Amino acid sequence: MPRTKTFSQQVARFFQTAEDEVGKHAGFLMAWVILLWAIEIIDFITPWDFDQMLGLKPWKLASLPVGIVCSPFLHGSFGHLASNTLSLIVLGWLVIIAGWRQFWITSIAVAIGSGLGVWLLGAPGSVHIGASGLVFGYLGFLMSHGIWRRSLTWIVVAVIVGSVYGSMIWGVLPNRSGISWQGHFFGLVTGFWAAWAQRKRG
């Protein structure tokens, strides 16, 4: 009888912990999305041009640190932001499941890696903004995390993510004007690297 009670308590504790974690994930992602939309609304209704002020401008030293930090929070339109929002929620949540530490390391690494790639290879005079570099970074992480960890569960996740988001890979090619393929490409590559670098964690 005591064993049954102990087991029941363990099961209840497990589900309570899972519920608490999901709540933390949802709260964080909701706050992140609200922040992105609030920034875009302020940019729209005020005379300030955040994109020009804080966007990443290739080969301009003054733009290097500010642009890398700020550009993922800026978008050219509400349509641009809407196209990134769902992918950020889904892919970001899956990376969080791998672990908060993995999420933050991957996010910072991808922001820096994609930002430097844009700064070095972007066209002079252009301005690069948007969270798509992070989206591609999360995609790269999720598609390789299971292989490096040798985890069947995460390999299944990679297959599902690849089947749903695999067509995004074409975004790393310079085949569309007005699209920051450099940010996509280096975001994806940095995501692969982040998964390899953290293969023993989680």
Side-chain angles (χ1 to χ4, degrees), residues 8-141:
S8 299
Q9 290 175 338
Q10 290 175 344
V11 171
R13 188 179 299 113
F14 169 80
F15 281 105
Q16 182 62 50
T17 301
E19 184 179 350
D20 292 343
E21 284 301 309
V22 170
K24 291 177 183 177
H25 299 172
F28 171 78
L29 291 169
M30 184 178 297
W32 189 10
V33 168
I34 289 174
L35 174 62
L36 292 177
W37 281 87
I39 290 172
E40 189 59 29
I41 291 172
I42 294 172
D43 189 29
F44 179 75
I45 65 176
T46 64
W48 304 325
D49 190 345
F50 289 163
D51 300 345
Q52 287 292 331
M53 291 167 54
L54 305 173
L56 185 55
K57 301 172 183 177
W59 291 100
K60 288 194 175 182
L61 286 175
S63 173
L64 190 56
V66 175
I68 286 178
V69 173
C70 296
S71 60
F73 295 92
L74 305 173
H75 291 82
S77 65
F78 290 109
H80 183 201
L81 175 55
S83 68
N84 281 332
T85 297
L86 182 59
S87 297
L88 277 175
I89 292 174
V90 175
L91 300 179
W93 179 63
L94 290 173
V95 178
I96 290 174
I97 289 177
W100 282 105
R101 180 185 178 91
Q102 282 84 344
F103 171 78
W104 287 114
I105 291 176
T106 300
S107 298
I108 294 171
V110 168
I112 295 174
S114 62
L116 287 176
V118 166
W119 191 81
L120 288 170
L121 298 180
S126 61
V127 180
H128 296 252
I129 54 175
S132 54
L134 285 175
V135 170
F136 275 81
Y138 295 154
L139 179 64
F141 177 92

